[in-house]
Amino acid sequence: MKGTLLKDLKNLKGQLLYYAFLVVVFFVVGALSGNLYFYVGLSMFCGAVAPVSAIAYDEKDNWDKFALASGVSRKELAAARYLLGLLIFIPVWALSFVFFAIPAFRTQENLFAVLMFGGMGLIVTDVVLPLVFRIGVEKARAVYLLVVLAVMLLSVGAASFIELIGGDPAFIGVCLLFAAGVAGVFVSFVVSVGIYKRKDF
């Protein structure tokens, strides 16, 4: 699995530099505008983009077939993609808390937003990766766009709801959403492994 992960990082080196540039730009824009939604909205999709790109490279080169013939298990291959997504998503999302070093950002609403988008980011990955494993990157692109659109609409609705109710109910809601995202990683991984084991390369 370590070798697969290193291979993916090497293949995505150029893209990762581009993502890092976007992270910096959106962070600065969020800080200067006084609105962290610019940044947390971007972070929400970081966990899915890198693994999907890595799978696209592998599909083009038939790398999975080679890896399986070399003794790498299907479970390890699936796990490497989830680990790649988490290695990208967690640092980018955690950077959101740096905003709270600025006094103007230290509001309950902003804390709720960071937790909410963290949960949403995990849910995007939870949904997208099994789809990609099941139908491939090219066929999954349209579905991925629908997932992105649905999550964006849900995020807007959830943000409005949080602002409306506030207090303990909102905090409980965002914590449950975040917990659902975390639990979903394990469920999604089990589903993906099951799909991968039945896949014929």
Side-chain angles (χ1 to χ4, degrees):
M1 184 173 70
K2 181 180 178 181
T4 299
L5 182 61
L6 291 174
K7 181 267 303 175
D8 288 340
L9 290 173
K10 183 177 180 179
N11 284 343
L12 298 175
K13 183 179 179 180
Q15 291 187 33
L16 292 177
L17 291 173
Y18 174 69
Y19 299 151
F21 173 75
L22 287 180
V23 165
V24 172
V25 170
F26 275 71
F27 186 91
V28 171
V29 170
L32 294 178
S33 66
N35 188 342
L36 59 69
Y37 283 91
F38 282 105
Y39 181 77
V40 293
L42 171 71
S43 69
M44 184 169 60
F45 302 107
C46 290
V49 171
V52 170
S53 297
I55 294 170
Y57 275 111
D58 291 346
E59 285 186 354
K60 183 175 66 175
D61 298 332
N62 291 318
W63 190 85
D64 286 351
K65 186 174 182 179
F66 169 78
L68 292 171
S70 301
V72 181
S73 71
R74 294 173 186 250
K75 184 176 182 180
E76 288 175 328
L77 288 175
R81 275 53 187 273
Y82 278 85
L83 182 57
L84 174 64
L86 292 175
L87 285 175
I88 302 298
F89 172 74
I90 291 176
V92 173
W93 173 72
L95 191 60
S96 303
F97 289 97
V98 176
F99 281 102
F100 296 108
I102 305 172
F105 283 93
R106 296 174 194 162
T107 66
Q108 187 180 69
E109 180 187 344
N110 282 339
L111 175 61
F112 291 172
V114 171
L115 293 174
M116 180 187 71
F117 278 91
M120 288 285 194
L122 291 172
I123 289 171
V124 168
T125 303
D126 298 342
V127 173
V128 168
L129 285 186
L131 284 172
V132 173
F133 282 127
R134 178 67 180 85
I135 62 179
V137 174
E138 291 303 320
K139 292 181 180 178
R141 289 190 190 277
V143 180
Y144 177 65
L145 291 176
L146 290 176
V147 171
V148 169
L149 179 60
V151 170
M152 289 177 67
L153 292 174
L154 285 173
S155 298
V156 172
S160 300
F161 182 70
I162 288 171
E163 185 176 354
L164 177 66
I165 63 174
D168 291 340
F171 180 68
I172 293 172
V174 295
C175 286
L176 288 175
L177 179 62
F178 188 79
V182 173
V185 173
F186 299 97
V187 175
S188 177
F189 175 66
V190 171
V191 172
S192 291
V193 171
I195 292 170
Y196 221 52
K197 285 183 177 179
R198 295 190 299 271
K199 196 168 184 178
D200 185 23
F201 293 98

